[in-house]
Amino acid sequence: MTHTLRRHGLAALAAAHLVFMGALAAPAMAMQILDAADHAELVAEISATGVNRIVLAGDRIAKVVRTPAGFAVEHDARSGDLYLRPSAPAASADAAGEPITLFIGTEKGFTYRLTLTPAARDSAQILIRNARAADGTAAAARSAVDTHIAALVRLVRAVARREPLPGHAIEAGVGRSVDGLTFVETWRGLRFAALVFEAARPASEDADGVWPGHRSGLAGLAGTIEALPGAGRVAALWLAAPGTGPSGGRLGVAVTETAPAGALR
């Protein structure tokens, strides 16, 4: 009897030990890993009652474009992580709600649309990973665009202020007129050519700027210039106020990709 009880006791103890160890080893809810690309629409699940964390791989959250209703959002500027928690205590542990939408902008220039579904679960961790975030492709492209825009602004400002710009030759025009545009001069550089012109003042003029001819509006003005032989694509366009031109029209500057020598002189 003693041996039998001992055997049963040991078996029960071993079974209890296994159950206890099994409880310790039970895995928690895994982190949700979302593979993304720029402008991706992502879906994940969050806790309706606990604090939730959103983190980016190889990047940092720079801003939240839209804050979801019903959840308070905390952005850790140092780490770039995002934390969401219910803005009011949930009525019960199994509380759940309608999906919420969050737009996230990152330091490397990516944007994600994230749809989050509140559920009766423990706090969630969401990892968004984008292969391009690691190689810096987007950041490099963004930097190139910013540099391009800065160069255009610098050239237009120099022309408008009549401040000679290094690397640009100023070629006087001969008063050539096309569709109500009289070309005054050209500032020609290695990358761009700035065409200085006067738009004849029409009888009625609106805020967008119109002039005689078969085209109107700023898009029409750009089209008129691009249609000229050797002009090239218009990359920037600036119009001064009425009456700023030599003949009382509107002075303007159209920056094009560098045109062949001799064009529009």
Side-chain angles (χ1 to χ4, degrees), residues 143-235:
S143 176
V145 170
D146 291 344
T147 301
H148 184 78
I149 293 175
L152 291 173
V153 171
R154 181 168 173 250
L155 176 55
V156 171
R157 182 180 292 120
V159 175
R161 294 176 177 176
R162 303 297 300 165
E163 298 173 351
L165 196 63
H168 287 75
I170 302 176
E171 305 167 355
V174 292
R176 178 184 178 186
S177 295
V178 179
D179 274 351
L181 304 179
T182 301
F183 291 92
V184 179
E185 62 186 11
T186 300
W187 292 42
R188 196 177 304 282
L190 293 176
R191 295 180 60 191
F192 306 111
L195 313 179
V196 183
F197 61 88
E198 179 183 10
R201 187 171 186 175
S204 62
E205 191 164 19
D206 59 28
D208 292 330
V210 294
W211 48 88
H214 64 284
R215 300 173 188 263
S216 63
L218 293 179
L221 173 57
T224 297
I225 294 172
E226 290 176 349
L228 299 175
R233 186 183 66 85
V234 173

Side-chain angles (χ1 to χ4, degrees), residues 49-258:
T49 56
V51 178
N52 304 282
R53 174 175 176 252
I54 300 173
V55 62
L56 308 180
D59 201 352
R60 301 200 316 170
I61 296 171
K63 62 182 177 180
V64 183
V65 179
R66 180 170 178 259
T67 303
F71 277 75
V73 177
E74 296 180 17
H75 178 218
D76 186 337
R78 183 184 60 81
S79 66
D81 297 351
L82 199 66
Y83 294 88
L84 292 90
R85 57 180 173 78
S87 56
S92 64
D94 59 353
E98 294 297 320
I100 56 179
T101 301
L102 201 65
F103 287 88
I104 293 174
T106 82
E107 283 191 352
K108 293 189 175 180
F110 297 103
T111 301
Y112 307 121
R113 180 180 186 271
L114 185 57
T115 300
L116 304 170
T117 302
R121 54 159 293 160
D122 291 335
S123 296
Q125 293 199 80
I126 300 166
L127 173 67
I128 300 175
R129 62 185 184 187
N130 184 336
R132 291 185 61 194
D135 62 20
T137 302
R142 188 186 187 94
S143 176
V145 170
D146 291 344
T147 301
H148 184 78
I149 293 175
L152 291 173
V153 171
R154 181 168 173 250
L155 176 55
V156 171
R157 182 180 292 120
V159 175
R161 294 176 177 176
R162 303 297 300 165
E163 298 173 351
L165 196 63
H168 287 75
I170 302 176
E171 305 167 355
V174 292
R176 178 184 178 186
S177 295
V178 179
D179 274 351
L181 304 179
T182 301
F183 291 92
V184 179
E185 62 186 11
T186 300
W187 292 42
R188 196 177 304 282
L190 293 176
R191 295 180 60 191
F192 306 111
L195 313 179
V196 183
F197 61 88
E198 179 183 10
R201 187 171 186 175
S204 62
E205 191 164 19
D206 59 28
D208 292 330
V210 294
W211 48 88
H214 64 284
R215 300 173 188 263
S216 63
L218 293 179
L221 173 57
T224 297
I225 294 172
E226 290 176 349
L228 299 175
R233 186 183 66 85
V234 173
L237 187 60
W238 172 78
L239 279 178
T244 52
S247 302
R250 300 184 68 162
L251 195 65
V253 178
V255 180
T256 69
E257 303 296 335
T258 302

Side-chain angles (χ1 to χ4, degrees), residues 10-25:
L10 289 174
L13 181 61
H17 179 71
L18 289 175
V19 170
F20 178 69
M21 291 301 294
L24 286 181

